[in-house]
Amino acid sequence: MEIKLTNVSKEYDLGATKVKALKDINFTVDSHDFITIAGPSGSGKTTILNMLGCLDTPTSGIVTFDGVDSSKLDLKQQALLRNEKIGIIFQSFNLVPVLSVYENIELPTLIGEKPQKRKDTKDWIMHLIESVGLGDRVNHKPEELSGGQRQRVAIARALVNRPQLVLADEPTANLDSVTSMRILELMRELNRNENTAFVFSTHDPDIIEHCDTVVRMRDGAILSEEDVHQRKDVSQTTIVDGIAQVPESDSENKEENHA
Amino acid sequence: MNAIWSLVFKSLLRNGGRNLLQAGLIFFAAFVMAYFAQFLAGVTRNFTDNLVELATGEIYVSSTINKEIDQNVFDREYKYLRVPAPFLNEVSKLEGVETIHPRIDLPVRLNLPDDTVTFKMAAFNPENEPRLVNNFSITEGRMVENDAFEIIVPQDLARRHNINVGDSIPLLAGTVNRRVNLVQYTVVGKFLTNSLSAWFNNYVYTSLQPARVLLDDENVMTRLNIHLVEDAEREVLMPQVNALVAQYLDNDSNPELDATWWEDGAEFFSSLVFGIEAGFFIIVGIIMTILGCSMGFATVMTVIERTKEIATYGALGAPPKMIRKIFMMENVLLSDLSSLAGIGIAVIAYLLTVDVGIPINNPQFEAFIGASHFYPALDIGGFILPFIICKLVTAQVSFFIVTSAAKKPITEAIADR
Ligand SMILES: Nc1ncnc2c1ncn2[C@@H]1O[C@H](COP(=O)(O)OP(=O)(O)OP(=O)(O)O)[C@@H](O)[C@H]1O
Ligand SMILES: [Mg+2]
């Protein structure tokens, strides 16, 4: 699996003004990538995730999924691509209010080309529910759950079709650090065992620490793309790099706390 | 698929208030359509089918009846036709004529032991008119025989005046020559007729010959029904019959007598049936328009409220067709359940009214059919059609709206703005 953004720009035309949400982005996601996109509010994190998830089309530039130009796919093909290969965790969860936890997670298995009738689907869903720690909330409705619990349902739902790529917009924003870590471990496991690629947007330093790659964004552009483990190793020795990077991430976090 | 149905069902329950209103409207529409269809069928059967059956002739020659309805039946001046045998003979031989059925219709007085009852008597030859006989249900005794001095009486009349099978009753009538005649008849049966020919119950019946004796005229009749073969041509036959009528029957008491084509004679009914049908279609039209608009409105509301949900389905990988299907299923389920309920109630309402009938408050109408109540008739299609109509209207409207909703960009719909 490979998703590639080539010279991707996204503009929103608001009549008087034009908002450049993405500026000439070049970016590739491969199988077993575990990437974080960091950046201040409004920097284009959600927009770039939407491009990766074929939810939105660029104003210019090309998005390819395994070499296929996604703008050449019709609505149905795009939908099926999302259904079968991409799991999406939305910033505001978007659970279906009338469905229980179990049914929300089951939903993607039902609405694709043909409803899946695999015998192990039920076991898999239950496994996901246990993994996100909602074993005692199986039949609850979203409105009966806390923000963090809803988020966990959204996470399980994104994983249910065993996607090749999972996109997560601030997946741990509403979670305490213990739950965050548990969920991160689940994702790591899938990443290692099933070669699932993960792309997060986040403000959470813990998540950044646990990722392989951090992509830093500002004003719709990618500032840097760095290997987290390498940075950890290298930061002791390559002082110039460390100094150049660390204050920036600090200022970023402050900015967001104000926002 | 079950899971999708369960999703659909739950979504329906969520928008409870509006869906209930919607369901109520469909319920009402289906009920009105289904119930009225039974009345339409009743109109057709009561008035058209049944009258043709009773007339048992496409052409009739009839004496003019005194129009002063208020007058006591017995005192009305009946104009009788005196029909010579050669006329009947020649009419029977016309090409296209299958059979002829003379009728005599006269007011009589029944001289009962402790009462005198004024009633109407009708005469026909039962052995020649099996179709007419079929309209009677003899509850006790038997049908009269041709040429015997026998009568059958309505069960209701028998009960009211304690008339029994085997009784011998003197009947009094004004003859053609304006004298009063008295003849003894034996009651051989009591009868009932179903709601569709309820006016039968306003007559006692005998056969032609005894009625002629009572009227003291060998050639008398009030009406001649001419029953034609299947493909007989009106344009050809009517002038021929009328020529014979002019030749044999025109006289002082019946000047300018003409044969009548049945449907023309029933003009009052034709226009009545047309009126009721038109009324029915106007009602259905209004209901369907309201239903369509409100269905559209409700779907628009649902779609606006649930753009985010629609977009979520899309983001999770539901193709537009699937999204449409889910929302369509909601509407179709709503429509099906409510229209079935409406039709169910219509069935019950039909069963109730078919027994009781609806009183007719139109004297002219009442006098013509001789019945005081109007009854619906079973029309299975009338129960099925509203279901299909409701389904089509809802499906059409929601398809249109949901299709446009499913095209909305996903990112815009999902964003928290
Ligand atoms: N539909 C839209 N119409 C107009 N402008 C938009 C629209 N969507 C996004 N933008 C703009 O594009 C820019 C990038 O937005 P985006 O949602 O990607 O930011 P973000 O990095 O996800 O921010 P946050 O951390 O707050 O979620 C912002 O300036 C935003 O105002
Ligand atoms: Mg965002």
Side-chain angles (χ1 to χ4, degrees):
Chain A
M1 194 257 353
E2 183 205 59
I3 297 190
K4 198 167 181 173
L5 307 190
T6 314
N7 301 328
V8 165
S9 294
K10 180 73 184 180
E11 273 181 26
Y12 290 104
D13 199 345
L14 300 177
T17 53
K18 278 188 180 165
V19 179
K20 285 205 160 197
L22 291 181
K23 295 173 192 162
D24 214 20
I25 300 283
N26 286 291
F27 183 55
T28 306
V29 182
D30 284 310
S31 304
H32 57 255
D33 271 356
F34 211 69
I35 302 175
T36 284
I37 300 175
S41 179
S43 57
K45 302 186 295 293
T46 299
T47 312
I48 206 171
L49 288 177
N50 286 344
M51 295 297 159
L52 292 170
C54 293
L55 289 172
D56 206 352
T57 45
T59 314
S60 66
I62 296 172
V63 180
T64 58
F65 196 103
D66 285 340
V68 179
D69 184 346
S70 67
S71 68
K72 299 250 158 49
L73 300 175
D74 64 21
L75 285 178
K76 182 183 169 185
Q77 289 167 322
Q78 283 182 11
L80 293 178
L81 174 70
R82 281 196 297 275
N83 186 251
E84 287 156 16
K85 300 196 169 155
I86 306 176
I88 304 175
I89 302 161
F90 302 96
Q91 208 164 355
S92 49
F93 325 138
N94 294 329
L95 302 179
V96 179
V98 288
L99 298 183
S100 68
V101 166
Y102 181 92
E103 290 164 332
N104 259 290
I105 297 171
E106 186 189 26
L107 192 58
T109 68
L110 302 172
I111 58 178
E113 176 87 289
K114 284 189 197 102
Q116 295 175 17
K117 283 231 176 80
R118 282 170 52 173
K119 279 200 197 97
D120 58 357
T121 305
K122 190 170 184 223
D123 296 338
W124 171 234
I125 294 171
M126 288 313 294
H127 169 73
L128 286 172
I129 292 176
E130 293 293 342
S131 309
V132 297
L134 291 175
D136 54 347
R137 294 283 188 280
V138 178
N139 294 315
H140 284 55
K141 296 274 157 63
E143 62 186 14
E144 299 157 2
L145 301 175
S146 72
Q149 288 168 332
R150 286 180 211 180
Q151 191 150 31
R152 284 182 267 162
V153 178
I155 291 167
R157 184 178 66 181
L159 300 178
V160 73
N161 273 350
R162 302 171 205 264
Q164 297 174 8
L165 167 68
V166 174
L167 304 169
D169 212 353
E170 319 233 3
T172 57
N174 294 283
L175 303 179
D176 60 82
S177 56
V178 177
T179 320
S180 287
M181 279 308 123
R182 248 192 35 222
I183 284 169
L184 216 59
E185 268 160 34
L186 170 71
M187 293 179 175
R188 244 317 175 196
E189 213 178 281
L190 288 169
N191 175 249
R192 294 223 175 89
N193 300 344
E194 317 222 358
N195 264 349
T196 312
F198 282 81
V199 180
F200 310 106
S201 81
T202 192
H203 299 138
D204 186 345
D206 277 353
I207 288 212
I208 297 176
E209 285 304 307
H210 281 81
C211 284
D212 296 339
T213 313
V214 190
V215 174
R216 296 190 187 275
M217 291 192 71
R218 175 163 286 178
D219 295 336
I222 294 181
L223 288 184
S224 68
E225 201 178 324
E226 58 190 80
D227 192 313
V228 176
H229 307 301
Q230 209 173 352
R231 192 190 70 182
K232 269 188 197 160
D233 303 337
V234 184
S235 56
Q236 321 290 7
T237 48
T238 325
I239 294 158
V240 182
D241 246 25
I243 290 170
Q245 295 297 336
V246 172
E248 195 194 314
S249 76
D250 278 348
S251 74
E252 227 173 63
N253 283 336
K254 273 190 205 122
E255 209 176 307
E256 310 224 340
N257 290 339
H258 288 300
Chain B
M1 215 54 218
N2 285 339
I4 296 279
W5 273 114
S6 124
L7 165 71
V8 163
F9 199 67
K10 285 173 181 167
S11 302
L12 269 185
L13 290 181
R14 174 182 47 174
N15 296 327
R18 193 171 54 235
N19 284 329
L20 209 64
L21 206 75
Q22 212 44 40
L25 207 71
I26 298 171
F27 170 88
F28 179 71
F31 168 77
V32 171
M33 282 192 282
Y35 190 52
F36 269 76
Q38 310 311 308
F39 273 92
L40 210 56
V43 167
T44 314
R45 281 191 60 190
N46 273 27
F47 303 141
T48 314
D49 298 358
N50 208 51
L51 281 182
V52 171
E53 182 90 343
L54 291 182
T56 53
E58 285 76 7
I59 297 175
Y60 64 83
V61 183
S62 177
S63 61
T64 45
I65 300 170
N66 197 321
K67 290 272 161 59
E68 287 162 59
I69 288 175
D70 303 337
Q71 219 175 342
N72 183 307
V73 176
F74 192 71
D75 299 329
R76 270 189 221 166
E77 192 187 334
Y78 265 69
K79 293 185 176 176
Y80 296 104
L81 294 174
R82 307 177 77 178
V83 184
F87 172 77
L88 294 180
N89 212 359
E90 286 194 40
V91 170
S92 319
K93 281 186 191 146
L94 288 175
E95 187 167 338
V97 173
E98 194 174 278
T99 45
I100 54 172
H101 301 304
R103 298 280 163 73
I104 304 172
D105 197 352
L106 67 154
V108 290
R109 242 172 215 160
L110 285 72
N111 281 356
L112 301 170
D114 45 5
D115 201 0
T116 304
V117 181
T118 301
F119 218 67
K120 287 184 280 185
M121 179 153 86
F124 70 102
N125 277 353
E127 282 150 45
N128 308 359
E129 296 198 41
R131 281 215 290 174
L132 192 51
V133 171
N134 279 342
N135 278 289
F136 293 90
S137 126
I138 304 288
T139 53
E140 199 186 324
R142 57 167 173 82
M143 186 41 119
V144 296
E145 282 171 6
N146 284 6
D147 306 335
F149 286 83
E150 301 171 338
I151 53 169
I152 51 170
V153 297
Q155 204 177 38
D156 191 44
L157 179 79
R159 187 169 38 81
R160 264 185 288 129
H161 297 282
N162 199 20
I163 303 171
N164 295 306
V165 171
D167 285 359
S168 185
I169 300 175
L171 259 57
L172 203 72
T175 68
V176 175
N177 305 314
R178 306 193 177 215
R179 291 202 314 267
V180 175
N181 205 2
L182 187 104
V183 178
Q184 198 83 14
Y185 290 83
T186 307
V187 178
V188 295
K190 299 178 187 173
F191 68 89
L192 257 182
T193 51
N194 61 26
S195 62
L196 297 182
S197 44
W199 65 96
F200 273 47
N201 296 328
N202 295 3
Y203 290 82
V204 296
Y205 288 86
T206 185
S207 56
L208 291 170
Q209 193 49 33
R212 286 176 178 144
V213 170
L214 186 57
L215 287 170
D216 197 18
D217 191 312
E218 269 308 297
N219 295 323
V220 76
M221 65 177 73
T222 46
R223 180 179 166 113
L224 178 68
N225 291 316
I226 303 169
H227 183 54
L228 307 180
V229 296
E230 190 86 28
D231 49 2
E233 281 179 43
R234 173 180 181 167
E235 292 73 19
V236 179
L237 265 168
M238 283 297 279
Q240 295 178 349
V241 173
N242 274 327
L244 291 172
V245 167
Q247 186 185 341
Y248 289 101
L249 302 187
D250 267 1
N251 57 33
D252 293 344
S253 63
N254 283 301
E256 291 172 38
L257 191 66
D258 267 329
T260 310
W261 187 258
W262 193 88
E263 283 166 20
D264 297 347
E267 204 174 324
F268 174 70
F269 290 112
S270 309
S271 51
L272 188 97
V273 168
F274 178 78
I276 293 177
E277 272 176 13
F280 176 72
F281 284 113
I282 289 170
I283 290 173
V284 169
I286 292 172
I287 289 175
M288 287 340 281
T289 312
I290 296 173
L291 183 66
C293 291
S294 79
M295 225 35 214
F297 176 72
T299 315
V300 168
M301 289 294 290
T302 307
V303 163
I304 289 173
E305 267 178 17
R306 292 164 69 187
T307 8
K308 195 163 177 176
E309 195 179 317
I310 294 177
T312 304
Y313 292 134
L316 295 177
K321 205 168 144 190
M322 183 57 139
I323 297 175
R324 211 157 53 211
K325 192 161 137 194
I326 292 173
F327 278 77
M328 293 280 289
M329 276 160 76
E330 268 185 41
N331 274 344
V332 169
L333 183 70
L334 182 73
S335 155
D336 283 3
L337 290 181
S338 356
S339 61
L340 281 180
I343 290 166
I345 298 297
V347 170
I348 293 169
Y350 159 75
L351 291 175
L352 290 178
T353 32
V354 85
D355 265 356
V356 183
I358 299 224
I360 299 168
N361 291 318
N362 179 329
Q364 191 190 7
F365 192 36
E366 210 175 313
F368 201 103
I369 68 168
S372 58
H373 285 70
F374 172 72
Y375 300 88
L378 183 63
D379 172 14
I380 299 285
F383 283 127
I384 297 168
L385 205 63
F387 179 75
I388 297 170
I389 293 178
C390 288
K391 209 181 171 86
L392 280 181
V393 170
T394 34
Q396 278 299 317
V397 172
S398 48
F399 179 84
F400 181 71
I401 291 162
V402 174
T403 302
S404 55
K407 283 183 185 148
K408 208 172 151 99
I410 293 172
T411 46
E412 263 174 56
I414 273 185
D416 272 322
R417 261 177 254 270

Coordinates of all heavy atoms in Angstrom, one line a residue, chain B residues 76-111:
Chain B
R76 N -102.1 6.5 -6.6 CA -101.5 7.1 -7.8 C -102.2 6.5 -9.0 O -102.6 5.4 -9.1 CB -100.0 6.6 -7.9 CG -99.1 7.5 -7.2 CD -97.7 7.1 -7.5 NE -96.9 7.2 -6.3 CZ -95.7 6.6 -6.2 NH1 -95.2 5.8 -7.2 NH2 -95.0 6.8 -5.2
E77 N -102.2 7.3 -10.0 CA -102.8 6.9 -11.3 C -101.7 6.2 -12.1 O -100.8 6.8 -12.6 CB -103.3 8.1 -12.1 CG -104.2 7.6 -13.2 CD -104.6 8.8 -14.1 OE1 -104.6 9.9 -13.5 OE2 -104.9 8.6 -15.2
Y78 N -101.8 4.9 -12.2 CA -100.8 4.1 -13.0 C -101.3 4.1 -14.4 O -102.5 4.0 -14.7 CB -100.7 2.7 -12.4 CG -99.6 2.6 -11.5 CD1 -99.6 3.1 -10.2 CD2 -98.4 1.8 -11.8 CE1 -98.5 3.0 -9.4 CE2 -97.4 1.7 -11.0 CZ -97.4 2.3 -9.7 OH -96.4 2.2 -8.9
K79 N -100.4 4.2 -15.3 CA -100.7 4.1 -16.7 C -100.2 2.8 -17.2 O -99.0 2.5 -17.1 CB -100.1 5.2 -17.5 CG -100.7 6.6 -17.1 CD -100.2 7.7 -18.0 CE -100.9 9.0 -17.6 NZ -100.4 10.1 -18.4
Y80 N -101.1 2.0 -17.6 CA -100.7 0.6 -18.0 C -100.6 0.6 -19.5 O -101.2 1.3 -20.2 CB -101.8 -0.4 -17.5 CG -101.8 -0.5 -16.0 CD1 -102.9 0.1 -15.3 CD2 -100.8 -1.1 -15.3 CE1 -103.0 0.1 -13.9 CE2 -100.9 -1.2 -13.9 CZ -101.9 -0.6 -13.2 OH -102.0 -0.6 -11.9
L81 N -99.7 -0.3 -19.9 CA -99.5 -0.6 -21.3 C -100.4 -1.8 -21.7 O -100.5 -2.8 -20.9 CB -98.1 -1.0 -21.7 CG -97.0 0.1 -21.5 CD1 -95.7 -0.5 -21.8 CD2 -97.3 1.3 -22.4
R82 N -101.1 -1.6 -22.8 CA -101.9 -2.8 -23.2 C -101.2 -3.3 -24.5 O -101.2 -2.7 -25.5 CB -103.3 -2.4 -23.5 CG -103.9 -1.7 -22.2 CD -105.2 -1.2 -22.4 NE -106.2 -2.3 -22.3 CZ -107.5 -2.1 -22.4 NH1 -108.0 -0.9 -22.6 NH2 -108.3 -3.1 -22.3
V83 N -100.5 -4.4 -24.3 CA -99.6 -4.9 -25.3 C -100.2 -6.1 -26.0 O -100.3 -7.2 -25.4 CB -98.2 -5.3 -24.6 CG1 -97.3 -5.7 -25.7 CG2 -97.7 -4.2 -23.8
P84 N -100.6 -5.9 -27.3 CA -101.1 -7.0 -28.0 C -100.1 -8.1 -28.3 O -98.9 -7.8 -28.5 CB -101.7 -6.4 -29.3 CG -100.9 -5.1 -29.4 CD -100.5 -4.7 -28.0
A85 N -100.5 -9.3 -28.4 CA -99.6 -10.5 -28.7 C -98.8 -10.3 -29.9 O -97.6 -10.6 -29.9 CB -100.4 -11.8 -28.7
P86 N -99.3 -9.8 -31.0 CA -98.5 -9.6 -32.2 C -97.2 -8.8 -32.0 O -96.2 -9.0 -32.6 CB -99.4 -9.0 -33.3 CG -100.8 -9.2 -32.8 CD -100.7 -9.4 -31.3
F87 N -97.4 -7.8 -31.2 CA -96.2 -6.9 -30.9 C -95.1 -7.7 -30.2 O -94.0 -7.7 -30.7 CB -96.7 -5.8 -29.9 CG -95.5 -5.0 -29.4 CD1 -94.9 -4.0 -30.2 CD2 -95.0 -5.1 -28.1 CE1 -93.8 -3.3 -29.8 CE2 -93.9 -4.4 -27.7 CZ -93.3 -3.5 -28.5
L88 N -95.5 -8.5 -29.2 CA -94.5 -9.3 -28.5 C -93.9 -10.3 -29.5 O -92.6 -10.5 -29.5 CB -95.2 -10.1 -27.4 CG -95.7 -9.2 -26.2 CD1 -96.3 -10.1 -25.1 CD2 -94.6 -8.4 -25.6
N89 N -94.7 -10.8 -30.3 CA -94.2 -11.8 -31.3 C -93.2 -11.2 -32.2 O -92.1 -11.8 -32.4 CB -95.4 -12.3 -32.1 CG -95.3 -13.7 -32.5 OD1 -94.3 -14.3 -32.2 ND2 -96.3 -14.2 -33.2
E90 N -93.5 -10.0 -32.7 CA -92.6 -9.4 -33.7 C -91.3 -8.9 -33.0 O -90.2 -9.0 -33.6 CB -93.3 -8.2 -34.4 CG -94.3 -8.8 -35.4 CD -94.8 -7.7 -36.4 OE1 -93.9 -6.9 -36.8 OE2 -96.0 -7.6 -36.7
V91 N -91.4 -8.4 -31.8 CA -90.2 -8.0 -31.1 C -89.3 -9.2 -30.9 O -88.1 -9.1 -31.1 CB -90.6 -7.3 -29.8 CG1 -89.3 -7.0 -28.9 CG2 -91.3 -6.0 -30.0
S92 N -89.9 -10.3 -30.5 CA -89.0 -11.5 -30.2 C -88.3 -11.9 -31.4 O -87.2 -12.5 -31.3 CB -89.9 -12.6 -29.7 OG -90.9 -12.2 -28.8
K93 N -88.9 -11.7 -32.6 CA -88.3 -12.2 -33.8 C -87.2 -11.2 -34.4 O -86.5 -11.6 -35.3 CB -89.4 -12.4 -34.9 CG -90.1 -13.7 -34.6 CD -91.1 -14.0 -35.7 CE -92.0 -15.1 -35.4 NZ -93.3 -14.9 -36.0
L94 N -87.1 -10.0 -33.8 CA -86.1 -9.1 -34.3 C -84.7 -9.7 -34.2 O -84.4 -10.3 -33.2 CB -86.2 -7.8 -33.6 CG -87.3 -6.9 -33.9 CD1 -87.3 -5.6 -33.0 CD2 -87.3 -6.4 -35.3
E95 N -83.8 -9.4 -35.2 CA -82.5 -10.0 -35.1 C -81.7 -9.2 -34.0 O -81.7 -8.0 -33.9 CB -81.8 -9.8 -36.4 CG -80.5 -10.6 -36.3 CD -79.8 -10.7 -37.7 OE1 -80.6 -10.7 -38.7 OE2 -78.6 -10.9 -37.7
G96 N -81.1 -10.0 -33.1 CA -80.4 -9.4 -32.0 C -81.1 -9.5 -30.7 O -80.6 -9.3 -29.6
V97 N -82.4 -9.8 -30.7 CA -83.2 -9.9 -29.5 C -83.1 -11.4 -29.0 O -83.3 -12.3 -29.7 CB -84.7 -9.6 -29.7 CG1 -85.5 -9.9 -28.5 CG2 -84.8 -8.1 -30.1
E98 N -82.7 -11.5 -27.7 CA -82.6 -12.9 -27.2 C -83.9 -13.3 -26.5 O -84.4 -14.3 -26.9 CB -81.4 -13.0 -26.2 CG -81.0 -14.4 -25.9 CD -79.8 -14.5 -25.0 OE1 -78.6 -14.4 -25.6 OE2 -79.9 -14.6 -23.8
T99 N -84.3 -12.5 -25.5 CA -85.6 -12.9 -24.8 C -86.3 -11.6 -24.5 O -85.7 -10.5 -24.5 CB -85.3 -13.6 -23.5 OG1 -84.3 -12.9 -22.8 CG2 -85.0 -15.1 -23.7
I100 N -87.6 -11.7 -24.2 CA -88.3 -10.5 -23.7 C -88.9 -10.9 -22.4 O -89.3 -12.0 -22.1 CB -89.4 -10.1 -24.7 CG1 -90.4 -11.2 -25.0 CG2 -88.8 -9.5 -25.9 CD1 -91.6 -10.8 -25.8
H101 N -88.9 -9.9 -21.5 CA -89.4 -10.1 -20.1 C -90.4 -9.1 -19.7 O -90.0 -8.0 -19.3 CB -88.2 -10.0 -19.1 CG -87.1 -11.0 -19.4 ND1 -87.2 -12.3 -19.4 CD2 -85.8 -10.7 -19.6 CE1 -86.1 -12.9 -19.7 NE2 -85.2 -12.0 -19.8
P102 N -91.7 -9.4 -19.8 CA -92.7 -8.5 -19.4 C -92.7 -8.4 -17.9 O -92.5 -9.3 -17.2 CB -94.0 -9.1 -19.9 CG -93.6 -10.2 -20.8 CD -92.3 -10.6 -20.4
R103 N -93.1 -7.2 -17.4 CA -93.2 -6.9 -15.9 C -94.5 -6.2 -15.7 O -94.9 -5.4 -16.5 CB -92.1 -6.1 -15.4 CG -90.7 -6.6 -15.5 CD -90.4 -7.6 -14.5 NE -89.3 -8.4 -14.8 CZ -88.1 -7.9 -14.8 NH1 -87.8 -6.7 -14.4 NH2 -87.1 -8.7 -15.2
I104 N -95.1 -6.5 -14.6 CA -96.3 -5.7 -14.1 C -96.0 -5.2 -12.7 O -95.5 -5.9 -11.9 CB -97.6 -6.5 -14.2 CG1 -97.8 -7.1 -15.6 CG2 -98.8 -5.6 -13.8 CD1 -98.9 -8.1 -15.6
D105 N -96.3 -3.9 -12.6 CA -95.9 -3.3 -11.3 C -97.2 -2.5 -10.9 O -97.7 -1.7 -11.6 CB -94.8 -2.3 -11.6 CG -94.1 -1.8 -10.4 OD1 -94.6 -2.2 -9.3 OD2 -93.1 -1.1 -10.5
L106 N -97.8 -2.9 -9.7 CA -99.1 -2.3 -9.4 C -99.2 -2.1 -7.9 O -98.6 -2.9 -7.1 CB -100.2 -3.1 -9.9 CG -100.4 -4.5 -9.3 CD1 -101.9 -4.9 -9.4 CD2 -99.5 -5.5 -9.9
P107 N -100.0 -1.1 -7.5 CA -100.3 -1.0 -6.0 C -101.4 -1.9 -5.6 O -102.4 -2.1 -6.4 CB -100.7 0.5 -5.9 CG -101.2 0.9 -7.3 CD -100.6 -0.1 -8.3
V108 N -101.3 -2.5 -4.5 CA -102.3 -3.4 -4.0 C -102.7 -3.1 -2.5 O -101.9 -2.5 -1.8 CB -101.9 -4.9 -4.1 CG1 -101.9 -5.4 -5.6 CG2 -100.6 -5.2 -3.4
R109 N -103.8 -3.6 -2.1 CA -104.1 -3.6 -0.7 C -104.2 -5.0 -0.2 O -104.9 -5.8 -0.8 CB -105.4 -2.9 -0.5 CG -105.2 -1.7 0.3 CD -106.4 -0.8 0.4 NE -106.0 0.6 0.5 CZ -106.7 1.6 0.2 NH1 -107.9 1.5 -0.1 NH2 -106.2 2.8 0.3
L110 N -103.5 -5.3 0.8 CA -103.6 -6.7 1.4 C -104.7 -6.6 2.5 O -104.5 -5.9 3.5 CB -102.3 -7.1 2.0 CG -101.2 -7.5 1.1 CD1 -100.6 -6.3 0.4 CD2 -100.1 -8.3 1.8
N111 N -105.7 -7.4 2.3 CA -106.8 -7.4 3.4 C -106.4 -8.5 4.4 O -106.8 -9.6 4.3 CB -108.1 -7.7 2.8 CG -108.7 -6.4 2.2 OD1 -108.1 -5.3 2.2 ND2 -109.9 -6.6 1.5

